Amino acid sequence: MRHRPLWSLLGLGLALTGLPAAAQPPLDIAALRLATAGRWEGKLEYLDYGANRWFGLPMKLLIEDGGDGVTLIRKADFDDGPKVGAVRITTVDLLDTATRKETSASFRKGRETSLETSALRLAAPPVDATHWTIVAETDSRDDDRPARLRVTTVRDGDRMTTLKEVDFLDDAAETWIQRNRSTLTRVGG
């Protein structure tokens, strides 16, 4: 009888929590990322700075396991209003497990391809495969200014929230501004 490695079980979408503790792979960033594979629905939200209130657009997200243990393919769909209409953003994320750096290439019709590398870290030890916080940081640009970007993803069971914050580097102060967030619920495997 041929035994499949546990990583192939992840690729099939089996729950880690159903395995005996001794048989579970470590809950590292690579395993936690892979456990997000599936269908998600919710909102892409932007902060109205004048009203200090979030407004949202319905969003659907499909996260696919790239099959190698380190690649994710994300397809996000939302309607950006009557001028722009339906938007699809496809992102391919590749994790270097040795450095915990993730390189992401994002593709969106009518825009240049975006390529960024972020340093990933756990905010605290994960509770399990569906309860954790990962923080990604990179130096980039925002609003045509040099900026440090921080994206915090919180997984709480079948809910996942991602908050993007910006600290502009062309001023003396460290001031983080909330830019956008997605609030999603898992709707299928």
Side-chain angles (χ1 to χ4, degrees), residues 121-125 132-135 152:
R121 64 180 168 82
L122 289 165
W132 46 260
T133 300
I134 294 176
V135 179
T152 304

Side-chain angles (χ1 to χ4, degrees), residues 61-75:
L61 176 65
L62 172 63
I63 302 175
E64 298 173 310
D65 178 348
D68 59 6
V70 293
T71 303
L72 290 177
I73 303 155
R74 293 183 291 129
K75 299 172 187 169

Side-chain angles (χ1 to χ4, degrees), residues 17 32 35-36 40-41 126-134 152-162 182-187:
T17 54
L32 299 175
T36 64
W40 300 81
E41 289 184 6
V127 174
D128 57 36
T130 62
H131 295 88
W132 46 260
T133 300
I134 294 176
T152 304
T153 302
V154 178
R155 173 94 188 260
D156 185 16
D158 285 341
R159 293 186 45 80
M160 188 163 56
T161 303
T162 302
S182 62
T183 53
L184 304 168
T185 302
R186 182 184 287 277
V187 294

Side-chain angles (χ1 to χ4, degrees), residues 19-177:
L19 297 173
Q24 292 182 12
L27 291 176
D28 59 9
I29 288 174
L32 299 175
R33 288 170 71 255
L34 289 176
T36 64
R39 294 188 182 281
W40 300 81
E41 289 184 6
K43 293 187 281 187
L44 172 61
E45 299 176 288
Y46 294 93
L47 185 60
D48 178 338
Y49 298 114
N52 196 28
R53 199 175 59 151
W54 292 97
F55 70 93
L57 306 168
M59 180 173 137
K60 292 182 180 183
L61 176 65
L62 172 63
I63 302 175
E64 298 173 310
D65 178 348
D68 59 6
V70 293
T71 303
L72 290 177
I73 303 155
R74 293 183 291 129
K75 299 172 187 169
D77 295 303
F78 60 93
D79 188 330
D80 204 13
K83 286 185 179 180
V84 177
V87 173
R88 155 80 50 104
I89 300 174
T90 303
T91 305
V92 178
D93 300 318
L94 177 66
L95 177 67
D96 179 334
T97 56
T99 64
R100 289 194 216 150
K101 290 189 177 179
E102 180 181 68
T103 300
S104 301
S106 292
F107 306 89
R108 177 175 172 176
K109 183 174 95 176
R111 298 214 178 158
E112 288 188 30
T113 300
S114 165
L115 183 66
E116 288 188 345
T117 299
S118 300
L120 303 185
R121 64 180 168 82
L122 289 165
V127 174
D128 57 36
T130 62
H131 295 88
W132 46 260
T133 300
I134 294 176
V135 179
E137 291 184 316
T138 189
D139 289 337
S140 186
R141 296 190 69 78
D142 188 273
D143 199 23
D144 289 327
R145 295 172 63 187
R148 182 133 186 94
L149 307 180
R150 178 171 63 201
V151 178
T152 304
T153 302
V154 178
R155 173 94 188 260
D156 185 16
D158 285 341
R159 293 186 45 80
M160 188 163 56
T161 303
T162 302
L163 174 66
K164 178 182 178 183
E165 298 172 286
V166 176
D167 175 34
F168 293 107
L169 300 175
D170 58 1
D171 60 24
E174 180 176 338
T175 306
W176 290 95
I177 301 167

